[in-house]
Amino acid sequence: MKLATRCVRAFAEDDPYGAVAPPIYQTATFRQPSAVTFGEYDYSRTANPTRTLVEQHIAGLEHARFACAFASGMAAITAVTRLVQAGEEILAGDDLYGGTTRLLAKIAPRQGIRVRWVDATDPEAVEQEIGPDTRLLLVESPTNPLLRVADLERLAALARRRGVLLAVDNSLLSPVLQRPIALGAHLVIHSATKVLCGHGDVMAGVVVTDDEDLHRQIAFHLNAEGAGLAPFDSWLLLRGVKTLALRVERQSASARKVARFLAEQPGVRQVFDPGVGPVVSFTTGDPELSRRFVEAARWFTIAVSFGSVTSSISLPCFMSHAGVPAELRGRLAPPADLVRLSVGIEDPDDLLDDLRQAFTVAEAGSRSSPGHPAGTRSEVCAEPVFCSPD
Ligand SMILES: *Cc1c(COP(=O)(O)O)cnc(C)c1O
């Protein structure tokens, strides 16, 4: 079965009434055969048939046997950190989602877990940083928002040789474009809120693995900590995944058009384009110009998150990465003039027209405020001024 077929068809079509869409088991509890025996399901925190369906579906797309669906991407990542004991260490990529950086910097150390950061695009540096207590290597590739690409196959070989677990956050590309388990990773994490769901209407996270023992541990934490995805959200996620291949194909093609357009703009300093996926980012050299640009866009909605059918635009330093703790900003926060675009399924001509007008408006703004020293920028952004999710 090809991937696009798998997205829509690869779940059980054995409904007793022939329903083409699966039912939602909107129930908290299940009748037991007797007081001392359990059926297949007993309580939805532990497991629910609608959740099982979406878990098995996503595991299959990642070419793995097991998955657990969580209430958010952060709940999924938290469960992965539970594989690490007090006294052990997590080695984390140095360009991660801001919420992940916050979790690792602020929460993991309270559990006696040491966290160190490494440039995951440099396998030699990773090898050097792995120590006797390193238990987990957690990376994104391409990273977000700077879209740097790590050699996952090499990292996986390295992790296996050194007895370390490799977890890859695959939220940005989805299994349509990258399947880390096949490259040797132990665990794949998704913020299913993003590309997997694709409609910006569900919060969800997934941990996928082909290792039965790791799956058992993740499922234990899902149940024990109560972070599982609710039945209705599981159903919405399943519905979103049906169009995954189609969306990714269109969004990827449009994003490349956007990247080529950006590269030709005199106001753009550098374009960051991984060559696949819905996200492209760029710098202007001037945080104020970037802000005016973001605010002038119309079809690109100012919003955090990415991967939705509707296009969005953000200043990651002040939005998705505002949660990076102050002491780590110099190293782990994106530059203040970085604009991130997530390209949706709108007609690409409309999107390019929108970007064109946004540049015109933003640049007119810089001519009318001559006090601003054009071409300067703060290397990294200071404390976020717009919001404070801490
Ligand atoms: C958004 C995001 C997360 C967190 O997921 P939520 O669903 O928002 O909790 C984790 N990793 C990446 C790469 C993300 O973009």
Side-chain angles (χ1 to χ4, degrees):
M1 205 182 331
K2 295 270 201 313
L3 197 121
T5 312
R6 197 180 255 276
C7 283
V8 264
R9 300 305 291 264
F11 39 86
E13 290 178 339
D14 55 359
D15 184 85
Y17 303 106
V20 170
I24 308 172
Y25 286 87
Q26 190 65 43
T27 182
T29 191
F30 297 80
R31 187 176 58 238
Q32 293 183 205
S34 77
V36 292
T37 49
F38 289 105
E40 194 176 346
Y41 294 94
D42 51 81
Y43 192 47
S44 284
R45 168 155 46 69
T46 316
N48 173 284
T50 313
R51 190 161 81 217
T52 303
L53 197 60
V54 77
E55 288 170 340
Q56 289 175 349
H57 190 44
I58 292 170
L61 293 178
E62 287 283 5
H63 291 194
R65 285 177 295 161
F66 311 104
C68 285
F70 290 83
S72 70
M74 289 319 305
I77 296 171
T78 300
V80 170
T81 67
R82 300 292 194 228
L83 299 170
V84 183
Q85 311 288 319
E88 294 181 332
E89 179 183 84
I90 298 174
L91 199 54
D94 62 5
D95 185 22
L96 292 177
Y97 173 67
T100 307
T101 300
R102 177 174 53 199
L103 178 82
L104 296 179
K106 298 266 191 195
I107 312 282
R110 286 191 217 159
Q111 280 133 17
I113 297 168
R114 199 152 69 110
V115 179
R116 288 185 304 122
W117 313 91
V118 65
D119 177 359
T121 63
D122 179 351
E124 268 132 48
V126 175
E127 170 111 63
Q128 269 176 12
E129 290 298 324
I130 291 177
D133 298 330
T134 310
R135 167 82 173 133
L136 173 69
L137 176 60
L138 174 59
V139 304
E140 288 176 27
S141 181
T143 64
N144 165 31
L146 293 176
L147 305 170
R148 288 150 59 206
V149 176
D151 183 341
L152 294 181
E153 208 163 3
R154 207 162 146 195
L155 290 183
L158 171 59
R160 286 179 186 270
R161 180 154 43 79
R162 300 289 298 271
V164 173
L165 295 174
L166 173 65
V168 177
D169 185 327
N170 201 26
S171 305
L172 192 71
L173 290 192
S174 90
V176 174
L177 296 172
Q178 173 168 274
R179 288 179 291 278
I181 299 276
L183 299 174
H186 298 87
L187 299 142
V188 168
I189 301 167
H190 277 281
S191 168
T193 313
K194 315 287 167 57
V195 179
L196 283 184
C197 164
H199 292 70
D201 52 12
V202 176
M203 298 291 310
V206 185
V207 178
V208 182
T209 181
D210 203 44
D211 181 315
E212 195 161 3
D213 181 55
L214 287 176
H215 172 66
R216 202 184 39 72
Q217 293 180 58
I218 297 286
F220 173 80
H221 284 288
L222 178 147
N223 180 43
E225 300 186 311
L229 192 63
F232 184 54
D233 290 349
S234 298
W235 186 86
L236 282 173
L237 177 56
L238 194 64
R239 187 169 73 159
V241 170
K242 288 180 188 174
T243 56
L244 178 67
L246 201 59
R247 286 185 280 107
V248 166
E249 190 183 325
R250 168 63 171 258
Q251 289 174 252
S252 229
S254 296
R256 303 295 78 74
K257 289 185 185 165
V258 166
R260 282 195 294 277
F261 168 84
L262 290 171
E264 290 163 2
Q265 301 308 304
V268 169
R269 178 168 285 187
Q270 193 179 354
V271 178
F272 301 88
D273 176 18
V276 283
V279 175
V280 174
S281 59
F282 67 95
T283 52
T284 63
D286 175 356
E288 265 307 304
L289 178 68
S290 295
R291 185 160 82 97
R292 281 197 304 275
F293 178 82
V294 166
E295 290 174 353
R298 303 226 155 74
W299 289 124
F300 286 86
T301 309
I302 303 178
V304 292
S305 195
F306 60 80
S308 174
V309 287
T310 52
S311 294
S312 65
I313 188 165
S314 67
L315 282 176
C317 180
F318 300 100
M319 297 170 64
S320 52
H321 289 64
V324 176
E327 62 278 14
L328 294 172
R329 296 214 136 243
R331 180 151 178 227
L332 304 181
D337 63 332
L338 188 83
V339 177
R340 186 182 76 186
L341 300 169
S342 174
V343 179
I345 62 168
E346 302 91 342
D347 190 304
D349 290 341
D350 283 333
L351 297 177
L352 295 183
D353 282 347
D354 187 32
L355 297 176
R356 209 170 278 122
Q357 70 78 28
F359 273 117
T360 307
V361 171
E363 278 158 9
S366 56
R367 281 194 295 279
S368 66
S369 58
H372 189 86
T376 61
R377 55 178 265 207
S378 48
E379 261 312 304
V380 294
C381 79
E383 272 297 291
V385 286
F386 308 140
C387 58
S388 162
D390 289 290

